[in-house]
Amino acid sequence: MGDTADFDREVASVCPFCGVGCQVSLKIKDNKVKFVEGINGPANEGRLCVKGRFGFDYIHHPHRLTKPLIRRADAPAKGLNVDPGNWQQHFREATWDEALDAAANGLQAIGGKGVAGFGSAKCTNEEAYLFQKLIRQGFGHNNVDHCTRLCHASSVAALMENVGSGAVTATFNQIEHADVAIVIGANPIENHPVAATYFKQFAKRGGKLIVMDPRGQALKRHASHMLQFRPGADVSMLNAIMHVIVEEQLYDQQYIAAYTENWEAEKAHLADFSPEKMAGICGIDAETLRDVARTFAGAKAAMIFWGMGVSQHIHGTDNARCLISLALMTGQVGRPGSGLHPLRGQNNVQGASDAGMIPMFLPDYQPVGDQGVRTAFQEVWQHGEIDATKGLTVTEILDAVHDGDIRAMYILGENPAMSDPDVDHARAALAKLDHLVVQDIFITETANFADVILPASAFAEKSGTVTNTNRQVQMGRPAVPPPGDAREDWWITVELAKRLGLPWTYAHPSDVFGEMTQVMASLTNITWDRLEAQNAVTYPSLTPDDPGQPIVFADAFPRENGRARFTPASVIAPDETPDADYPMIMTTGRQLEHWHTGSMTRRSRVLDAVEPEANCSLHPSTLRRLGVEPGGMVRLTTRRGSIDIMARSDRAVAPDMVFVPFAYVEAAANILTNPAIDPYGKIPEFKFAAVRVEKAQSE
Ligand code: SF4
């Protein structure tokens, strides 16, 4: 914490890391961010975690891109071979005109369905809107996606199907009105730390906190129940809990009759899932399952929070369907302290999805296949036809590159060379592209493969809105200038669009936001000026003065008949199960100090000092069996590849499991992960791979 002598001005903005969306005050001196304090945003009320407080200095890192770069004609073959501090052998500096012309000409030369776009949940809403519009309008198809495909796509699929909306039904802060809460497949103390402070306060005042996760976690200390179930056994455990609620008639018949459909089918389906039968599958004893069922069904107000432990499975949509059914049968939606809340990962994954950076929906989840929807957009966009066919998703696009159907890509802020499953396959696809344009703030692993690199802006250098996990649209403001010739992302995308022949005339992100309000009903009553004045407005906002609705669906659901739906879920085994060659289970995730692929946090002095080295976590008994001391090296091998990595001793990890964070390029967890996808959300199974763990040969 500094004092007023340490800065000469301060700017209110939003933390760039997780979906909690904490509001921050950036303290500036000599055009540098000196320190950061939390301010009174609706999600954080002044609180910040270690990333928000100490993780900002990456914006002044010497690796920042300051000039547009073009690949040299005599550069070495494309590969993961560029030193971000010493790139001159691979790229040469260019002017903006030269680089934008090269980027646009290369994309246009291939054109049509030979081009695809990956945006990022790090984009602002306006950048995301422009990006999807550029791909749809400039190339005439919907092959545009972003990292929501890798985090909550299956949750959104289940919510859209059964509730009619992909966003949360209640803000996480509503937990203050709850008496029971389930947190499943999420580790909020590490991944949504400020939200976790509200969960801990809830437990402290006597709320019953039911934590369900195959891995132990710090929130366990605050839990009334900790269910450390077998990895991949979510459906059997949740169906067993719901079986008890049916068997003991603990469900809310009045709510079910008034607000839902397909209850009889759900009820019949659950008959097969007695706790006694499921205990052996999910690893939780029948009495605990019964106790949890009674506790949840007996709540006056209950919430369900979930994370990627639920969504990143080939049955991720089924997992989320179970959670929705559990809330519906107990009438726990639409009242204070009740609701369904998938904890969104990235700071703007909600907003980027709302803005249409997904291949099957135009902004506000309006289906591309609907003629009326397309006509409405075409009238506003005033140029070209929107394709009626759903586009390809992240993993499908990279497969299409391997097949030769896609030959050029525009990638904004996304890092598939680190984040995608079976990442050697993704890297080979990037190397195969005839033309790759990367817009980013560093030479990321993905930018290693670029033909043109466009230097962009960090959060503290640009204007734009972002939408957090709570549906709160918040204003981000420029506090310092971008370094060198780096420019705001919206400007770069607009300049590229002009070179592709699109009649774009935006002069500021507020112009883009204004257009968004014309095509997105969710933004009704939310204006740029209002956000400038108030910093945050929650959607839906019912009047120009309404700060927004923290709880939705009190009276009806946004489905054709106004009712939510029960969709029964059956048990589906993970795509690959342990066997003699790969006898253990690998799961991946984040750590408190490092964010996703590490491009920002590994360039943050404090965060990298706390967690400087690639590591995995194994149970002490497993380490003993392997003859490895804590801190020693192990080799992890799956059907995709091997990595050597330092092993930590962690009792929270079951003896047959290994947990691997995915932020470290030198031991990239995604070399190992399974690219098999959920059929509905098309999300890869990051949370389950069969793995062999051995003492590393170097040990
Ligand atoms: Fe930033 Fe999330 Fe931490 Fe808040 S909880 S400070 S949004 S990383």
Side-chain angles (χ1 to χ4, degrees):
M1 169 106 42
D3 61 38
T4 48
D6 299 327
F7 61 95
D8 46 35
R9 56 196 173 86
E10 52 190 323
V11 177
S13 192
V14 186
C15 172
F17 290 108
C18 88
V20 171
C22 297
Q23 286 191 10
V24 295
S25 172
L26 305 168
K27 313 293 184 183
I28 315 297
K29 189 166 190 180
D30 302 330
N31 273 338
K32 294 263 189 282
V33 180
K34 288 295 177 190
F35 63 99
V36 174
E37 284 179 349
I39 55 176
N40 194 20
N44 66 315
E45 300 177 298
R47 308 171 200 195
L48 290 181
C49 78
V50 66
K51 285 192 288 291
R53 195 172 293 281
F54 299 112
F56 55 85
D57 53 334
Y58 71 88
I59 64 179
H60 303 307
H61 193 278
H63 287 174
R64 280 295 301 274
L65 284 160
T66 58
K67 296 266 188 205
L69 302 179
I70 292 179
R71 181 168 287 275
R72 287 183 179 283
D74 59 351
K78 285 183 180 179
L80 197 59
N81 53 5
V82 183
D83 175 350
N86 188 14
W87 42 262
Q88 287 78 358
Q89 194 190 357
H90 301 261
F91 299 102
R92 64 177 176 81
E93 291 184 354
T95 64
W96 269 109
D97 274 340
E98 193 186 1
L100 287 164
D101 287 347
N105 292 341
L107 295 173
Q108 218 159 19
I110 291 163
K113 292 201 170 171
V115 178
F118 285 171
S120 165
K122 284 271 164 282
C123 297
T124 64
N125 290 325
E126 297 74 32
E127 291 159 4
Y129 179 84
L130 289 179
F131 189 82
Q132 59 85 32
K133 182 174 172 180
L134 181 139
I135 297 293
R136 291 188 156 118
Q137 203 177 36
F139 299 102
H141 59 72
N142 296 299
N143 290 342
V144 56
D145 205 359
H146 76 293
C147 49
T148 190
R149 196 67 42 212
L150 309 178
C151 66
H152 265 305
S154 47
S155 307
V156 172
L159 287 163
M160 292 290 291
E161 171 191 53
N162 298 296
V163 178
S165 161
V168 299
T169 73
T171 63
F172 67 75
N173 314 74
Q174 280 295 310
I175 197 169
E176 70 172 305
H177 304 296
D179 54 327
V180 176
I182 288 177
V183 176
I184 176 168
N187 186 356
I189 287 183
E190 300 228 13
N191 297 328
H192 301 84
V194 166
T197 64
Y198 290 86
F199 300 173
K200 288 187 266 188
Q201 281 176 330
F202 157 81
K204 206 165 178 182
R205 67 167 172 75
K208 291 206 166 78
L209 184 62
I210 302 166
V211 179
M212 302 171 169
D213 201 298
R215 192 160 65 106
Q217 54 172 278
L219 201 57
K220 175 180 175 178
R221 289 202 295 274
H222 306 270
S224 59
H225 302 72
M226 175 72 204
L227 277 60
Q228 202 164 342
F229 62 98
R230 293 224 168 93
D234 313 54
V235 169
S236 56
M237 178 181 70
L238 294 167
N239 276 353
I241 289 167
M242 290 192 282
H243 172 102
V244 176
I245 292 173
V246 172
E247 184 186 59
E248 301 186 6
Q249 296 187 13
L250 303 173
Y251 49 85
D252 185 338
Q253 183 59 56
Q254 225 176 344
Y255 184 90
I256 292 167
Y259 296 108
T260 71
E261 64 179 21
N262 210 31
W263 168 238
E264 290 305 324
E266 176 78 35
K267 213 161 105 174
H269 179 76
L270 292 171
D272 237 12
F273 291 87
S274 74
E276 289 69 25
K277 201 164 148 189
M278 291 301 111
I281 298 172
C282 69
I284 304 296
D285 66 84
E287 204 35 57
T288 301
L289 292 169
R290 288 185 178 280
D291 187 33
V292 167
R294 291 169 193 144
T295 303
F296 190 83
K300 288 192 186 70
M303 295 188 75
I304 302 176
F305 299 94
W306 71 96
M308 281 162 251
V310 164
S311 58
Q312 289 176 333
H313 289 280
I314 59 161
H315 49 86
T317 303
D318 279 327
N319 292 346
R321 285 170 173 156
C322 289
L323 298 173
I324 294 165
S325 293
L326 177 58
L328 293 178
M329 70 170 59
T330 49
Q332 294 294 359
V333 180
R335 291 181 289 107
S338 73
L340 291 158
H341 192 119
L343 286 155
R344 307 307 300 254
Q346 297 251 19
N347 66 327
N348 198 34
V349 69
Q350 183 67 57
S353 303
D354 295 346
M357 211 156 61
I358 36 183
M360 54 293 277
F361 296 119
L362 284 150
D364 253 0
Y365 308 92
Q366 301 178 72
V368 295
D370 184 316
Q371 176 65 57
V373 165
R374 291 199 308 282
T375 303
F377 273 89
Q378 281 161 197
E379 274 170 18
V380 175
W381 288 2
Q382 293 279 308
H383 181 83
E385 294 255 315
I386 296 170
D387 188 9
T389 315
K390 288 179 187 174
L392 300 175
T393 59
V394 164
T395 53
E396 291 170 340
I397 285 171
L398 294 177
D399 287 343
V401 174
H402 278 288
D403 293 342
D405 297 331
I406 290 176
R407 293 168 43 217
M409 289 190 71
Y410 174 25
I411 299 181
L412 195 175
E414 188 89 325
N415 194 7
M418 278 292 285
S419 59
D420 278 32
D422 188 10
V423 80
D424 280 341
H425 172 89
R427 291 171 183 173
L430 295 170
K432 194 173 175 204
L433 286 166
D434 292 337
H435 186 66
L436 174 59
V437 179
V438 173
Q439 180 172 322
D440 215 310
I441 62 172
F442 297 113
I443 299 182
T444 60
E445 290 73 16
T446 298
N448 274 238
F449 299 88
D451 295 283
V452 181
I453 302 178
L454 305 173
S457 294
F459 83 104
E461 298 158 358
K462 62 184 169 189
S463 291
T465 66
V466 285
T467 306
N468 70 359
T469 189
N470 278 348
R471 295 181 266 104
Q472 285 148 351
V473 186
Q474 307 199 86
M475 181 58 79
R477 296 182 178 83
V480 292
D485 290 345
R487 299 296 298 258
E488 292 192 40
D489 293 79
W490 73 270
W491 180 89
I492 301 170
T493 304
V494 168
E495 289 301 312
L496 209 47
K498 287 180 187 166
R499 283 164 173 80
L500 294 170
L502 303 182
W504 289 15
T505 56
Y506 310 103
H508 187 267
S510 57
D511 298 339
V512 185
F513 191 83
E515 181 175 312
M516 292 169 71
T517 61
Q518 288 178 54
V519 292
M520 295 175 67
S522 62
L523 297 178
T524 302
N525 293 316
I526 305 178
T527 63
W528 186 272
D529 288 347
R530 218 184 140 188
L531 291 169
E532 278 282 21
Q534 298 171 10
N535 282 346
V537 180
T538 305
Y539 74 76
S541 167
L542 304 183
T543 67
D545 301 322
D546 175 18
Q549 300 296 305
I551 305 154
V552 290
F553 314 146
D555 303 319
F557 290 89
R559 297 182 72 246
E560 228 163 69
N561 61 5
R563 289 172 176 268
R565 178 182 170 80
F566 289 99
T567 298
S570 299
V571 173
I572 297 169
D575 180 67
E576 54 181 27
T577 44
D579 57 19
D581 291 333
Y582 305 100
M584 290 177 61
I585 299 162
M586 185 188 82
T587 185
T588 65
R590 299 195 299 255
Q591 292 172 293
L592 173 62
E593 293 80 5
H594 283 306
W595 184 254
H596 283 219
T597 65
S599 60
M600 301 190 313
T601 51
R602 295 200 78 194
R603 291 182 172 94
S604 169
R605 191 177 50 83
V606 170
L607 300 178
D608 202 47
V610 178
E611 275 294 0
E613 192 180 349
N615 59 83
C616 68
S617 299
L618 287 156
H619 192 272
S621 66
T622 312
L623 285 174
R624 272 197 304 278
R625 177 173 60 75
L626 296 171
V628 176
E629 292 291 324
M633 298 295 286
V634 290
R635 170 160 296 183
L636 311 180
T637 305
T638 69
R639 291 183 174 85
R640 272 71 55 193
S642 294
I643 60 172
D644 286 358
I645 189 166
M646 184 260 282
R648 281 191 177 142
S649 174
D650 186 352
R651 288 186 186 281
V653 179
D656 62 347
M657 278 180 76
V658 55
F659 170 75
V660 196
F662 61 91
Y664 302 92
V665 64
E666 64 274 31
N670 280 324
I671 286 175
L672 309 177
T673 46
N674 186 352
I677 56 175
D678 172 281
Y680 307 98
K682 307 274 180 85
I683 192 169
E685 191 152 63
F686 288 114
K687 287 290 186 274
F688 199 113
V691 64
R692 182 166 66 246
V693 183
E694 305 158 287
K695 187 173 183 171
Q697 282 159 9
S698 54
E699 267 296 282

